[in-house]
Amino acid sequence: MQGSLNILILEDNESDADLLNRELKKSGLSFTAKVVQTRAEFENALQSFEPDLILSDYSLPSFDAVTAFRIKQDKHPHIPFIIISGIIGEENAVELIKAGVTDYVSKDKLFTLSTKITRALNDSRDRKEKALTEEKLEVSNRELLELNQELEVRVVHRTKALAESEGRFRSMMETIPQIAWTNTVSAKVVFYNQRWYDYTGLAEEQSKLQGFKSVVHPEDFKLGIRQFNSILLTRTGGEFQIRVKRSDGLYMWHLIRLMPVMDQQEEIELWVGTATDIHELRLLQQYKDDFIIIASHELKTPLTSLKMSLQLMDRIKDNPASDSLSRLIKQANKSMGKVNGLIDDLLNASKANQGQLQISPEHFVLSEVITSCSNDVQAEGTYTVKIEGDLQVEVYADVIRIEQIVINFINNAIKYAPESKEIRISIKKEDELIKVSVIDQGPGIPPEKLPFLFDRYYRAKNAESKYSGLGLGLYICAEIIKKHNGQIGVESELGKGSTFWFTLAAVAKESRV
């Protein structure tokens, strides 16, 4: 017997329905019963209640068992249907059973109901299993027929299919962006895709005769061949990196991958190789390594100076009247300022890279902030800073960030144009924009370097200056201006100096609160 049953009872007499429920409970069946009286209720219950068994009175005022059975049989022929009545008569009962009704129980013999329900459910289960078996058998026969037809087609077209398979494989190899080839287990290359010929510039015959030896960097060749052969001894594949010569003669780093192709006996049939251009990734890794070296050096220099200043101050601490004390304190503060500046550059660059560089705009007179930025340079007496243009113009921007940009531009002018003793700063209003330009008369910047000046970690080396820094200053300046929805740039001509500039939105006087 299965688990809990859903039993649908079609009965208009509540007493008879209760009697059925008691009889069902007495039989020990686990069930949930639903009683309906009308055709509409019956049809709805077939869908929503999903009965496992239907018990139906033979005759109801507006409905009858024969109609109910036909409705059920139309869409749910597998559900057992037992008629329970005291007036149907044996002949009618036999006719109904011949028509497909599962069974009949007289209301005077309800004690037989449990037995007949069990038999009906078992018969229903057997019919379902038989139907399922027949369906599976039909599906299997159909699949076998289809398989047989397919095998016949395969036998007839085997040679053609193999040729088409090889063609598809080669087409796939031609669609991938990497250089690709196949080689035998003995390392003989049997196929190169078009990427190989485009990249190396070799013809097919040249590739057969010279192959890898003609394009692999001489310094990488022996190690590459050794790694290539060691992978062929495995069954899992592998990878290594070498430099491969391009058709223009340049060597570019590539990641070589080899993977085995197995046959039906799980033996290696051939090897598929690919070469992926990773030159840019290698350069980025080199930039990162160079940056770590530069950052270590730049941080070490002021820290060493600071350490020496502190050691000297410790020696003369008992002689506060010494003239050296004031100078050492000044030097220590200067070194500490450099360390803080370098750390700020690192933090600002990290924030800019993650889109977290924050600005706090306010109204201020631009020339006043620029004057404040140049005071330290003016005080040293070596360089003069001349501010010209519209000195009354106001902007709405982050004061601290704009100071950072101006100081960076001034320091760069001193660093890369040390012989240009006058630095001009121009403030001009152009339409709805304010343009600030820092101008020096130094040696200028080579044209090929101009596009990279605002890149992260880029440092324009100058043989005539002792450049320092992390290569982050101009990158941070560009990110600050981007946050202000402005523009930043540089103009330079060799022998005539450089102009670094940025723009901010002008503030209308009536808009200031």
Side-chain angles (χ1 to χ4, degrees), residues 469-483:
L470 302 177
L472 294 173
L474 291 178
Y475 165 74
I476 295 169
C477 291
E479 292 299 313
I480 292 172
I481 292 301
K482 188 186 300 182
K483 283 284 187 179

Side-chain angles (χ1 to χ4, degrees), residues 55 71 163 202 291:
L55 304 179
I71 293 172
L202 296 177
F291 171 74

Side-chain angles (χ1 to χ4, degrees), residues 12 36 56 102 160 192 242 290 314 478:
D12 63 332
V36 298
S56 174
T102 307
K160 180 180 177 181
Y192 289 107
I242 56 173
D290 291 346
D314 184 60

Side-chain angles (χ1 to χ4, degrees), residues 1-7 29-33 52-53 117 121:
M1 183 70 67
Q2 58 181 308
S4 181
L5 301 171
N6 283 351
I7 301 178
L29 291 172
S30 175
F31 69 95
T32 300
D52 300 300
L53 173 70
I117 287 176
L121 291 173

Side-chain angles (χ1 to χ4, degrees), residues 404-418:
Q404 188 176 349
I405 296 173
V406 174
I407 291 172
N408 188 284
F409 282 6
I410 293 174
N411 287 340
N412 277 350
I414 295 172
K415 184 190 306 181
Y416 294 104

Side-chain angles (χ1 to χ4, degrees), residues 129-141:
E129 290 177 353
K130 182 180 179 181
L132 183 61
T133 301
E134 290 176 350
E135 183 181 352
K136 287 182 178 179
L137 182 60
E138 183 181 352
V139 170
S140 297
N141 288 335

